[in-house]
Amino acid sequence: MTRVLVFSTLYPNAAQPNHGVFVENRLRATIARGGIEVTVIAPAPYFPLSHEVFGRYSTFARVPRHEVRHGVEVWHPRYLVIPKVGSGYAPEALFRRGLALARQLQAAGQQFDVIDAHYFYPDGVAAARLGQALRLPVIITGRGTDLTLIPDETGARRRILWAAHQASAMVTVCGDLKRRLIALGAPEDRTLVLRNGVDLRLFRPQDRAAARAALGLDGFTLLCVGGLIPRKGVDLVLEALAKRPDCNLLIAGGGPLRATLEALARRLGVAGRVRFLGEVAHADLPSVYAAADVLVLASSREGWANVLLEAMACGTPVVATNVNGAEEVIRSGAAGVLMNRRTPEGLVEALDLLRRNMPSRTETRRYAEAFSWTRIGEANKALLDGAAAAGFEGRHAPGVLDLARRLLGEPETGVCDPAAP
């Protein structure tokens, strides 16, 4: 039995059920393989007031200190966050809170063999320090901005590289992020790609007519799913919509740009063809995907965009910007089309191309079925078992990643082929 301590601020909780759900999904797929025992420490920022007038900060106050999710014990200790100036202190704050709780759990009789950390900065840096303090091997997964944007800051880059050299293994969710991590100076022989999968039971074809009727849809419908923040590019989608008057748009997600985007829709004269759905629970997304004709993702950067596979699993093809892991997801006309240019015109070109060659929803679903979580869970368990068996002193020993690599069929390029056996 391998006893795993998962450490990350990216983990769902009762107040934020969609937050970091991809971390939980990979963990659940790993647990399903058997022979693993898991405890999660998912620190939450400290905020004293839970009234909704304080916006997203009040959500932090509503996060429970302890909960059980899908049979897994999850702890949410509080750590201090100083907005805009506190990123340099965050690894220290996370380390101190994580260490105090881990030692409390050990004193109560729990034991751990390996730390499974997610998001390189600040979480992975704090986890590497935890590994040193507790004498445990650490695996760190990089997921996107932690390897595409945060390393631009010199101090963060230096600490990310230090954590990489401490880790038994490093995981990235796409080949592009692996190449970026190695370019920073991380050891290539301890780095592999372990992409996100998709829950094919939750995300599956629905009664499309019923889904469209429930939303009152009529006509060709585009869909955006995600936070309303600048990098998601919803403004570009609205500008493209103005060029295609036969299309409507659903926007599922909340965030600070909602009012700005609503004003832009009015200014462009498309407000009557746009509907803001607000936050949609993860379990309710399949019917929204099913109702749409195309999912559009116009992000400036993404590690591995889970919404792409979720839409495909429901039979809905996608149009997406060609950034980071997108080309590793969209590798067939059955999946959709990549934009050549991240502009309203580039989006319109890609959308028109897809509409001229629309795959059947059955073809798109069949494509998504190659991205099951099953093999990912098997490989992740092999990785955790290998690191635990090597222990802290042997954390850099050759062979820790060997079984995981064989299960993944990962080629030398670092791009995991979902169709590999």
Side-chain angles (χ1 to χ4, degrees), residues 387-402:
F392 181 77
E393 297 300 334
R395 65 192 185 279
H396 297 157
V400 170
L401 285 70
D402 284 356

Side-chain angles (χ1 to χ4, degrees), residues 76-299:
H76 300 290
R78 296 319 199 250
Y79 71 103
L80 184 63
V81 175
I82 305 172
K84 298 184 180 180
V85 299
S87 63
Y89 177 69
E92 177 72 15
L94 287 171
F95 165 67
R96 289 181 178 275
R97 297 303 296 147
L99 182 61
L101 179 52
R103 284 181 168 159
Q104 287 176 19
L105 294 174
Q106 287 177 327
Q110 286 190 252
Q111 297 300 318
F112 307 111
D113 301 312
V114 60
I115 297 173
D116 179 24
H118 296 259
Y119 210 67
F120 247 95
Y121 189 91
D123 309 47
V125 175
R129 291 191 60 191
L130 278 176
Q132 288 188 327
L134 299 172
R135 308 296 287 178
L136 292 173
V138 179
I139 296 169
I140 305 174
T141 296
R143 293 191 164 275
T145 302
D146 53 338
L147 296 178
T148 61
L149 182 64
I150 292 175
D152 290 347
E153 197 279 308
T154 302
R157 181 173 65 251
R158 184 175 63 250
R159 286 191 273 185
I160 287 170
L161 187 56
W162 172 83
H165 281 275
Q166 295 300 314
S168 293
M170 289 149 288
V171 173
T172 62
V173 294
C174 66
D176 177 76
L177 292 181
K178 176 180 177 178
R179 291 186 287 272
R180 289 171 182 267
L181 181 56
I182 292 169
L184 289 176
E188 183 172 4
D189 63 337
R190 300 206 304 271
T191 307
L192 84 164
V193 174
L194 192 61
R195 57 159 176 79
N196 287 341
V198 62
D199 185 340
L200 294 169
R201 289 175 296 181
L202 174 60
F203 295 99
R204 65 186 190 279
Q206 310 279 308
D207 183 332
R208 181 161 156 77
R212 288 177 64 83
L215 289 168
L217 297 183
D218 182 22
F220 197 87
T221 302
L222 311 179
L223 170 66
C224 292
V225 176
L228 303 184
I229 54 178
R231 71 178 174 89
K232 292 294 184 179
V234 179
D235 55 328
L236 300 180
V237 183
L238 289 171
E239 291 180 40
L241 187 71
K243 301 175 184 295
R244 287 296 175 267
D246 63 331
C247 294
N248 302 311
L249 174 64
L250 295 177
I251 301 173
L257 289 186
R258 175 161 178 167
T260 300
L261 293 169
E262 289 175 332
L264 177 61
R266 290 192 295 271
R267 190 161 65 251
L268 292 170
V270 299
R273 294 188 282 127
V274 178
R275 191 181 319 169
F276 289 82
L277 302 179
E279 295 281 359
V280 177
H282 203 60
D284 295 332
L285 280 173
S287 61
V288 180
Y289 286 128
D293 291 280
V294 175
L295 174 83
V296 179
L297 184 67
S299 298

